[in-house]
Amino acid sequence: MQSLPARSVAVVLGTRPELVKLTDLVRLLGPAAHLVHTGQHYDEELSGRFLTELGLPEPTFLTGVGGQPRAVQISSALAQLDDLFTAEPPLAVVVQGDTNAALAGALAANARGIPLLHVEAGLRSHDRNMPEEHNRVLIDSIADVLCAATEDNRANLLAEGVDNARIAVTGNTVVEAVHGQLPSAAERAELLERHGLTADSYVLATVHRPENTDSPEALRAIFTELAALVADGRPVVVPLHPRTRARIEAAGLEGLLAGLTVTRPLGYGEFLALARHAALLVSDSGGIQEECTVLGRPLVVVRRSTERPEAMADFADLVEPGRAIGEAARRRLAEGPEGLTRLASLPSPFGDGLASDRIVALLARIAAPAALATAA
C-alpha cells in the first residue's frame, strides 16, 4: 500500500485461522504490513507450513506464549507487544477474531493510543462459557473501527451500545481466502486420487475445540458416531489435530479410529480441496462454518453454541456430541446430489469476496492522518 510507510500497520495474530483470514489483507497492504505472530499456535508442521503456503512475509515472533494458560498467554504477549510498539510505533494495529493473540494486540494498541481495527467484529454466541466470547466483546469495546462481516454482526454491536459510526459492514475475509487458496479442478482431482477418494461420496471431519477434546465423554460420542457412518459404508476422513490425538490416546479411545481414514493435519489448500468434494462436513470449527457456505457443502456443527447463525439457515446444523450427530449427518446425506446442487446455487451469507479491499480502505483512513503528522 503506497500511501503508508513500510511496516507501519501492525497485524497481530497467533493462530492458523488468523493467518488464513488475514492473508489477502496483508498482501494488499504490501510493505506497509508488519506481521506480528504471538506464537499462540506455533509449530513448524502447522503454522510454519501455513506461512509458507500462504506466501506471507516472515513475521516478528514473540516468545514464551504458546502452550501457556490463557491469562499467561495474554499477559506475556501484551508485555512483549508493548515493548515492540514502543520501539517501533505502528500507525495502526489490526487484529482478527477472538483469540488470546487478538485480545493482547487490542489491549497493547489501546494502551499506547494507537488506532485499532477489528476484523470480524460483532460475532456473538451468547455463551459465556466460551473464552472467545469474552475476548471478542472486550476487543469490540475498545476498537476504533469495527469491521462487521454481516448485518447481523452490526446489529449485535448496536444492541451493545456501540456507536454506529465505528462500525462498517465489510463482509468476511474468508470468502476471498477460500477463492484464492482453493486448488484448481485438476489439482483437486489429483488430490482425491492420491487419497483414494471419490468426489461427493465421503465425509470430512475435524475435531479440535476444548469443549470436545477435553471431555472423554464428548470424544467418545463424536468418534462413535463417525465410526457408525463408516459402518454405513461411507468413508470418513479425519485430519487429526495433534492435541486431539493426544486426548484420544489419554482417554484410551484409539479403537474408535480403526475404521476412519486418519491423516496428518492438512495444509489449507489441501483441506479446501477435500472439503469442496465432500458429501458432508462434520466439525467443531468456527472457520469451517463460513467456508462451507463458499464451497456449497453441508456441515454438521458439533458444539453447544455458535456465533455464526448465518450459516445455520441453509448450510449447517448445530448439534451437541451424541446421537444427534449421526441423525443430522444421515439427513443431510440423504439429500444426495440434489442437496449439493441446491447449496452450490446459494450465495454465501458472508459476503462477495471484497472484504479485504474495504478493510484496507478503512485502514488508510485511520492510519493516514498519523502518517501525515509523523511526516510533518
Side-chain angles (χ1 to χ4, degrees), residues 160-171:
E160 293 174 7
V162 175
D163 184 352
N164 187 53
R166 291 165 53 203
I167 307 168
V169 177
T170 59

Side-chain angles (χ1 to χ4, degrees), residues 12 31 81 97 101 119 144 146 182 200 205 208 223 248 253 285 344 360 364:
V12 181
L81 287 167
V119 177
D144 298 286
L146 295 95
L182 181 66
D200 303 342
H208 74 276
F223 282 93
I248 288 171
L253 300 175
S285 162
V360 166

